[in-house]
Amino acid sequence: FFLASPPPPPPPPAAAAARERVFSAPNVMFALVFMIGLSPYAGVRTYPAFAMFSNLRTEDRSNHWFLPGWDDWEHRPGYLEPVEIMETNLRSLRAFQVDLSPYYPEDTLENLAGIDLEAALWICPPKWNFRLPEFRPYHIPWFELNKAVVTALDNDKDPFYVKYQRNGRTKTLTRLASGECTGDEAEALQQPPPFWRRLFFRFRSFDPRSDVCRH
């Protein structure tokens, strides 16, 4: 025969009701919205995030009226350190940011030109399967450069290069036809980020000299 402990008594009605209120659908939705809204300021992600629609920014400097940007942190994690992508032939970095303004209707482009405004609609698509856009230098956190290099090394055998600037110094990573990577920081860029970080973290490009809205 088996000895079994008696089942625990059911919770008091008041406690059960309180638990149901805490985990109710509106409260869970509010918690998710709060976490997504806070994620840029926690250094978790800027894309997608609500800040992308309000044009609030945390990269390099903050334009929020009281929340600090990453540059104001006393101990900013290395994965958030900004790097400028200056030149590359790596497709994922070439298409990291895309300007959709060339797809505007012709009359819209003419109207913008008529009032001396530059047409621009920058997005950071998860994947871009169309013609590569005209490349312009841009900034991203170190994490995104590291992830792009590791992904290319895992999934592609073609040689590539990335010329970038970090801490005021211009550096180049080159993957040779033999598969070997050379460059000042080749070893660091070949180290895969933690799986959980690759799963949850996602950052858009940014321009430290401009507050142009990016999605």
Side-chain angles (χ1 to χ4, degrees), residues 83-102 109 117-124 132-140 161-164 204-210 212-214:
V83 296
E84 182 179 9
I85 308 301
M86 305 175 69
E87 295 177 23
T88 183
N89 62 351
L90 183 58
R91 183 178 179 87
S92 61
L93 291 177
R94 289 266 308 183
F96 191 92
Q97 65 170 17
V98 176
D99 182 10
L100 295 182
S101 64
L109 294 173
L117 284 179
E118 180 185 3
L121 179 57
W122 292 101
I123 66 169
C124 295
L132 284 174
E134 176 186 357
F135 180 81
R136 290 190 186 184
Y138 60 87
H139 289 70
I140 51 176
Y161 78 94
V162 184
K163 182 180 178 182
Y164 61 97
R204 64 184 176 180
S205 63
F206 64 94
D207 184 346
R209 298 172 291 272
S210 171
V212 173
C213 188
R214 294 166 186 256

Side-chain angles (χ1 to χ4, degrees), residues 1 12 29 65 87 93 98 110 117 136 143 168 184 201:
F1 63 94
M29 289 298 297
W65 70 287
E87 295 177 23
L93 291 177
V98 176
E110 292 176 359
L117 284 179
R136 290 190 186 184
F143 166 77
D184 297 334
F201 286 27

Side-chain angles (χ1 to χ4, degrees), residues 51-64 120 122 204-215:
M52 60 191 275
F53 299 109
S54 63
N55 204 28
L56 292 173
R57 57 181 295 165
T58 54
E59 313 96 330
D60 189 60
R61 58 183 173 83
S62 174
N63 62 358
H64 195 282
W122 292 101
R204 64 184 176 180
S205 63
F206 64 94
D207 184 346
R209 298 172 291 272
S210 171
D211 284 334
V212 173
C213 188
R214 294 166 186 256
H215 299 292

Side-chain angles (χ1 to χ4, degrees), residues 13-14 16 18 51 61-62 76 80 87 111 125 127 159 170 182-183 211 215:
R61 58 183 173 83
S62 174
R76 179 177 60 186
L80 291 179
E87 295 177 23
N111 290 335
K127 193 172 185 180
T170 301
T182 63
D211 284 334
H215 299 292

